[in-house]
Amino acid sequence: RRSNGEIAVLKRTAAEAEAELRRVRDEDVSGLERRLTLEVATLQRERADETSALRRRLEQEAAAAERRRVEEVDTSERRRAAEVAEIARKRQDDLASLERSR
């Protein structure tokens, strides 16, 4: 059978062990919280970088599409101008032919 002194020592030792366990557990939780906070910040930065890269790519694609559209309009306008010039040349030829036949 244990004496009251031994029981008191055992209780004190158990209380100290529990306090130490809580302290270690709290440190582990704090460390985990810090690591998770850093991980979240890293993931947010990576997401922002990916979003920026995607935005730049979409802007470049939109600019390229606009350049192609403008080129198509320019080509179409040049083609139409050439057709009008051809019609005008034919009319001039027809007028010259008509004048020669008079």
Side-chain angles (χ1 to χ4, degrees):
R1 189 160 193 268
R2 297 191 187 256
S3 70
N4 285 342
E6 288 175 322
I7 292 172
V9 168
L10 289 173
K11 284 182 179 180
R12 196 169 43 253
T13 303
E16 290 170 358
E18 286 176 10
E20 179 65 12
L21 181 60
R22 278 193 300 277
R23 187 188 65 73
V24 168
R25 208 178 283 145
D26 289 347
E27 285 178 4
D28 287 348
V29 168
S30 293
L32 182 59
E33 286 173 344
R34 278 193 299 279
R35 282 195 312 275
L36 288 174
T37 300
L38 289 173
E39 182 69 20
V40 166
T42 299
L43 291 172
Q44 287 172 335
R45 236 183 350 268
E46 289 172 357
R47 182 175 179 193
D49 291 347
E50 290 170 0
T51 300
S52 294
L54 181 58
R55 184 178 297 114
R56 278 191 305 278
R57 194 176 107 230
L58 290 173
E59 288 170 353
Q60 290 169 350
E61 289 176 4
E66 178 63 12
R67 282 191 302 275
R68 284 191 301 274
R69 188 192 67 74
V70 167
E71 289 170 5
E72 289 170 4
V73 167
D74 287 350
T75 300
S76 177
E77 288 174 352
R78 281 194 300 276
R79 188 178 307 122
R80 182 69 185 138
E83 291 170 358
V84 168
E86 180 64 20
I87 291 168
R89 188 189 59 72
K90 285 182 181 177
R91 288 190 179 157
Q92 284 293 90
D93 289 349
D94 290 347
L95 278 174
S97 178
L98 244 165
E99 286 183 10
R100 282 194 301 273
S101 66
R102 282 188 181 172

